Amino acid sequence: MSADRVVQLRWEPRHVADDGGRAALSYPGISVIRCTEGEIVDRVWIPVGEEPTYADDEALITALHAAWRWTRPAA
């Protein structure tokens, strides 16, 4: 892994309000964040439900795999 490329995982809920601001919902999820030299260069948010599905698990695994491959310097 390169010292200047870092992957972070954060528990980050998303908050969504309707156009009038009358109703709001909050969705739990995990952000997979890629940083280069301390600056965020990419962020992928994966929703995490009460009863995650196989597809939810696969989406998180895919995002983690891509981020960790990104940390490796080009050959």
Side-chain angles (χ1 to χ4, degrees):
M1 177 165 62
S2 175
D4 63 337
R5 289 185 172 193
V6 176
V7 174
Q8 299 175 346
L9 299 177
R10 293 185 187 165
W11 180 259
E12 294 184 334
R14 289 255 168 117
H15 305 285
V16 181
D18 68 0
D19 290 337
R22 292 168 289 168
L25 298 172
S26 182
Y27 296 95
I30 296 172
S31 287
V32 180
I33 303 164
R34 299 180 196 193
C35 299
T36 300
E37 298 178 0
E39 297 294 322
I40 295 174
V41 295
D42 187 47
R43 178 187 304 253
V44 175
W45 183 79
I46 310 291
V48 178
E50 293 278 330
E51 297 179 27
T53 65
Y54 179 78
D56 294 336
D57 293 345
E58 287 300 310
L60 181 56
I61 290 166
T62 299
L64 289 171
H65 183 258
W68 284 325
R69 285 185 49 115
W70 170 81
T71 62
R72 305 179 105 202

